[in-house]
């Protein structure tokens, strides 16, 4: 059973509503995301890295343009360290869940991936919804709690408990030995 | 814009895990569900009533059999008052969300329904997931808080706040004048 | 890899347009369908039998009612021999393809079924569309040509060639030794 | 009701099987495709142009890269005239139908588009499958027969008759006055 690390919505200009509430949490969890990313990219790893990112309604855009726009924005320091490399896969989404009207499920099936590790933002929104949609599809889900950023701490806490209790997700840390197992 | 009242998972034997925690909340919210159901069935109403119910893995079953099994169970008193009538529509689901791998979206489209009112169970599970999947599809969602039953009060409370804040849902009461508007 | 025999749209009142053109072909292919059905139901078989049938817009109906209506119609002789038994699974569809907005893909996955044998009607419509949707999902498809009924012989012939050439389907006979292999 | 012109799989290196059989038909229908494209792009038109193109398994690619690869190939003369401009929308697909596991249906809904005109390739494969998937979704479909390229003339002819007879599609010419109406 192969594993993928999914990086959710981190190619971002942070111009949306609630960005001010989100940014401190992004800064706090960036090291956890980087740790997960480095571990997934290590030579000894068989973990696929897949970026699933909102296209912000820009149907003319491809991912280079989404990335460039984010790197030209005021929060490039939060985007640059997480930028996709040549081995990253990239899926554009239009709505909240990483599965809704995207080819992600097909892509995972083609790569023999049955376990996904979710990092990125927002814990109580896209991360929660994606964990649910993965659970419904009988995929294994792991969420490193120090690698997901939130807007509302109490809703994020409830979201993590929902994932753990009702969606069979494993909530752990980005440094956990068995993060990708 | 037409409206449907969706009754979620109330044709039930309550034999699943957590049933003991759920039952008191079902008893408490049954009057709210009945109120919503009666108002939707009133002659002057243009509200469609749609039952969306788990098939509990019984792919041989149709809804009469699901209903009969529930009425033969120990909690028939919670099922009988809510039973479908001849004008009810019925959709079988296999997983948590009322939309996942079901014809519900197609059915709503064919009936010109763009607004759904959710009642039934469980607030922090199927109701939450269905509200999300409706929001992603740009449907209007209303949830009467006295007509949805929960297992964990704190997660149910967080779920209602998530629906209101992040999914554009209106949380109201089953007696609200504008319940179906 | 498990196999399912899918019986498409044979619970039917034949009141639709083109029924007069379809009926002779149904009568001609009924023995092939029965042969496939008997072989699938044999004790030594591990083949699941799944009826996927149009609900003809009757969202209030369950399959017993669809069956009863068909048995009360003028062509009960074409329905009776093919009626589902207690071990048959049943999936209701609303549109042409057996996969569109139905739980069939989920059901197949849960039963470990990766190969489907299609019989029923109409070769150049539902059967063709279902073969395509199965191919897109990387399922193996077999079509016994003497067990699928058509309206237009030339379009049916083209449909079978499309399935064989472009959808990786195996076109064979209901009596073929390897029908379910 | 708005209209979109969909350009299917024309950003292509023509390295696949059957390319030799396809190329003469592409050359023959290129003028029809260009006519449709110019008319859609005219200032007075309200027609959206949407490219839906296979990603050929390159999940790392965005559309610029797919385009560049095609322009570097031996058949750049067939790609260059049809290249997307700055106002074109672009959707990547992984399998045959333009709708399967893509955001196209969502995109059309967001743009208020209920009518699509299909051009590109291959008539008896992607064009046929896309016409079917559009019909199932109650979209209006038009196919200008001089703007779709085929591999097998007889299957292409059958495919056009299937679209017309069974999928409610209008088969017309790229020069037809009412192409986008």
């Amino acid at each position: 059973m192969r594993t993928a690390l999914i990086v959710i919505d981190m190619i971002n200009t942070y111009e949306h509503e609630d960005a001010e509430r989100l940014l401190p949490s992004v800064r706090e969890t960036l090291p956890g995301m980087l740790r997960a990313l480095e571990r997934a990219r290590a030579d000894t790893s068989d973990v696929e890295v897949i970026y699933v990112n909102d296209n912000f309604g820009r149907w003319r855009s491809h991912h280079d343009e989404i990335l460039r726009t984010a790197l030209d924005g005021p929060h490039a320091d939060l985007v640059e360290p997480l930028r996709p490399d040549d081995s990253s896969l990239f899926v554009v989404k239009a709505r909240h869940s990483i599965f809704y009207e995207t080819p992600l499920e097909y892509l995972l099936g083609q790569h023999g991936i049955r376990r996904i590790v979710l990092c990125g933002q927002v814990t109580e929104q896209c991360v929660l919804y994606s964990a649910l949609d993965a659970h419904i599809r009988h995929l294994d889900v792991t969420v490193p709690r120090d690698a997901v950023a939130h807007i509302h701490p109490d809703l994020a806490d409830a979201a993590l408990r929902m994932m753990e209790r009702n969606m069979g997700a494993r909530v752990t840390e980005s440094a956990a030995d068995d993060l990708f197992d």
Side-chain angles (χ1 to χ4, degrees), chain A:
Chain A
M1 185 163 70
R2 295 192 61 211
T3 301
L5 175 68
I6 314 267
V7 184
I8 303 177
D9 279 343
M10 292 306 296
I11 313 302
N12 208 309
T13 56
Y14 296 93
E15 284 166 334
H16 49 78
E17 203 188 350
D18 284 331
E20 286 315 305
R21 300 198 64 159
L22 173 61
L23 280 164
S25 178
V26 172
R27 287 190 194 101
E28 193 177 298
T29 53
L30 193 57
M33 297 184 207
L34 287 172
R35 187 177 300 115
L37 199 53
E38 275 160 33
R39 294 180 63 189
R41 284 176 176 163
D43 288 347
T44 53
S45 150
D46 182 41
V47 176
E48 204 77 58
V49 176
I50 308 176
Y51 288 74
V52 187
N53 213 88
D54 213 284
N55 72 350
F56 306 106
R58 306 190 187 197
W59 293 97
R60 291 176 186 80
S61 297
H62 44 73
H63 73 80
D64 267 13
E65 195 175 317
I66 297 173
L67 178 61
R68 224 159 30 227
T69 307
L71 290 175
D72 289 347
H75 297 288
D77 59 313
L78 301 177
V79 178
E80 176 63 40
L82 287 168
R83 63 188 297 169
D85 67 12
D86 286 349
S87 69
S88 309
L89 309 186
F90 201 97
V91 169
V92 167
K93 71 181 174 70
R95 296 289 280 164
H96 315 73
S97 164
I98 57 178
F99 289 97
Y100 181 68
E101 307 265 322
T102 75
L104 182 63
E105 184 171 14
Y106 181 81
L107 168 59
L108 296 178
Q110 288 302 294
H111 284 74
I113 296 167
R114 299 290 307 159
R115 178 186 292 122
I116 60 176
V117 179
L118 303 178
C119 71
Q121 58 192 12
V122 174
T123 313
E124 70 271 28
Q125 297 187 31
C126 298
V127 176
L128 174 67
Y129 311 156
S130 300
L132 164 66
D133 276 353
H135 175 54
I136 271 189
R137 287 160 177 80
H138 296 280
L139 297 165
D140 273 15
V141 178
T142 298
V143 182
R145 71 170 72 235
D146 61 326
V148 287
H150 61 257
I151 294 173
H152 295 95
D154 59 330
L155 292 183
D157 179 65
L160 288 168
R161 281 185 293 136
M162 285 174 182
M163 293 184 227
E164 208 160 20
R165 186 187 295 274
N166 298 332
M167 303 175 195
R170 195 166 49 117
V171 176
T172 181
E173 307 288 328
S174 64
D177 281 346
D178 59 355
L179 179 64
F180 298 125
D181 299 340

